[in-house]
Amino acid sequence: MTRVSRKSAGAWPVRWDLLLRYRLIEVMALWEGRLTTNHLMRAFGIGRQQASKDINTYLTDYGPDNLVYDRFLKGYRPTEAFKAVFTQGVADEYLQMMHAREDLACSFESLTVRELNTEVLLPPARDLRPAVLRPVLQACREGKRVEIEYASLANPEPEFRVIQPHTVVHTGYRWHVRAWCEKNGDFRDFVLSRISDRPELVLPGDRGAEDDEAWRARVIVRLGPDPRLSPPQQALIERDYGMEHGELRLETRGALVSYLLQQLRVDTPADHRSPEAQQVVVLNHDEVQRWAVMPG
């Protein structure tokens, strides 16, 4: 990674607002494979002229060989010689930017500056490459079929598949793409780090999110304190989770139920763990069980 060094102690060579714009330029170009002035306009509330100026300044002063304008894409794409200047070029940066967008959409309180005495524990990074994510995202946008070489726990030897992806998902632990599998004839989750080749876009697809029953289904997962805990312990858990009347209701997609249960550590029977370790249980187990199928 090429870093921009400070000219002198306490003095940044780039204004904070420009630093954020240049980071967005690199993240969007590297991970989505297409950067336009609209990205900057929507993210920072600036005009098209200013957004164009920011991109040109980035190219002139910091990354002259990083981007090239593609008339077919109607935007900039990263070159083969791309070298990150304001980012590290890792998938977590893209994930964090996506999370920031989600937070800002919910509350302006997310604009508060991160305190220096905080720490975030992140899961180990998976082997996700831009060469895999970019064409998959493009296929999602354009409704295309993608030919991939894929390995799974059930079939650890890579094999060619043709899929029709509609949404890329990060579960908190790994990235996968939700897609129609032409081999199996149903919608499945394909872990992006298990795609070993460079995905190739082929013919237009005929299966999208609107055809995916598990994706469209909205499922309520009801959580409550483990009944094996004492009443004072249960009251403590209710406060921890902000439960009302001893219950927390979480809404998610049917296709994401398994991942939610896994995150909450309620994907195995409660009696397999001590009540102090389990803490919460699913109250409507029978209702969510039909969706709780973890892919390999």
Side-chain angles (χ1 to χ4, degrees):
M1 171 184 175
T2 303
R3 293 184 181 275
V4 178
S5 59
R6 290 187 290 177
K7 295 179 180 177
S8 60
W12 289 95
V14 182
R15 291 201 327 257
W16 178 253
D17 60 332
L18 291 177
L19 178 63
L20 294 178
R21 296 180 202 175
Y22 295 155
R23 283 179 61 83
L24 182 139
I25 286 173
E26 291 191 352
V27 170
M28 299 307 295
L30 180 61
W31 291 103
E32 292 203 354
R34 178 174 176 265
L35 170 76
T36 70
T37 52
N38 285 335
H39 286 119
L40 292 166
M41 292 167 62
R42 289 196 301 266
F44 299 102
I46 59 178
R48 191 173 303 279
Q49 184 176 357
Q50 181 62 56
S52 180
K53 179 182 177 181
D54 290 340
I55 295 174
N56 289 329
T57 301
Y58 170 84
L59 287 171
T60 301
D61 296 343
Y62 302 104
D65 299 321
N66 279 357
L67 306 176
V68 63
Y69 189 82
D70 189 320
R71 287 184 296 177
F72 177 77
L73 292 176
K74 297 181 180 179
Y76 293 86
R77 59 174 173 81
T79 66
E80 291 294 328
F82 183 94
K83 290 184 179 180
V85 179
F86 296 95
T87 61
Q88 297 180 16
V90 297
D92 280 344
E93 292 171 319
Y94 179 69
L95 170 64
Q96 290 164 7
M97 192 165 286
M98 297 303 99
H99 278 181
R101 286 183 176 182
E102 196 74 18
D103 290 343
L104 288 170
C106 298
S107 171
F108 284 110
E109 291 178 359
S110 301
L111 291 172
T112 55
V113 179
R114 177 181 178 271
E115 297 292 341
L116 295 178
N117 58 339
T118 61
E119 190 71 27
V120 178
L121 181 63
L122 296 175
R126 297 294 184 105
D127 178 28
L128 176 58
R129 292 160 285 130
V132 169
L133 182 59
R134 284 202 299 255
V136 169
L137 282 172
Q138 182 181 350
C140 291
R141 290 195 304 265
E142 299 178 3
K144 294 287 186 65
R145 286 179 165 88
V146 184
E147 187 176 271
I148 63 174
E149 190 175 351
Y150 189 74
S152 65
L153 292 179
N155 297 288
E157 290 298 324
E159 61 179 355
F160 284 99
R161 302 274 192 100
V162 176
I163 63 173
Q164 300 182 39
H166 64 71
T167 308
V168 170
V169 177
H170 189 274
T171 67
Y173 297 98
R174 71 182 190 184
W175 296 83
H176 72 253
V177 62
R178 184 74 176 171
W180 175 263
C181 176
E182 299 200 349
K183 174 186 175 183
N184 295 290
D186 59 8
F187 283 97
R188 298 194 170 195
D189 298 338
F190 294 87
V191 182
L192 293 178
S193 60
R194 294 176 182 170
I195 297 177
S196 56
D197 68 333
R198 182 186 294 267
E200 181 180 350
L201 275 67
V202 286
L203 299 173
D206 57 5
R207 299 276 184 160
E210 65 279 3
D211 304 306
D212 190 345
E213 178 190 0
W215 185 259
R216 291 187 293 107
R218 306 303 300 185
V219 180
I220 301 294
V221 179
R222 296 168 48 223
L223 298 175
D226 191 317
R228 295 174 296 171
L229 294 170
S230 68
Q233 288 175 320
Q234 292 188 42
L236 179 61
I237 296 302
E238 290 179 22
R239 290 197 299 272
D240 282 347
Y241 285 84
M243 296 181 180
E244 296 183 2
H245 308 294
E247 180 178 311
L248 177 66
R249 299 169 65 90
L250 301 175
E251 182 177 349
T252 189
R253 297 182 184 276
L256 301 180
V257 165
S258 292
Y259 303 105
L260 177 61
L261 300 183
Q262 187 181 57
Q263 279 187 346
L264 295 167
R265 300 189 300 176
V266 293
D267 54 327
T268 56
D271 57 9
H272 287 192
R273 309 173 69 204
S274 70
E276 290 78 13
Q278 184 67 34
Q279 298 189 1
V280 296
V281 296
V282 178
L283 300 178
N284 59 333
H285 186 270
D286 292 342
E287 294 177 31
V288 303
Q289 188 60 38
R290 64 167 295 203
W291 307 107
V293 179
M294 184 66 67

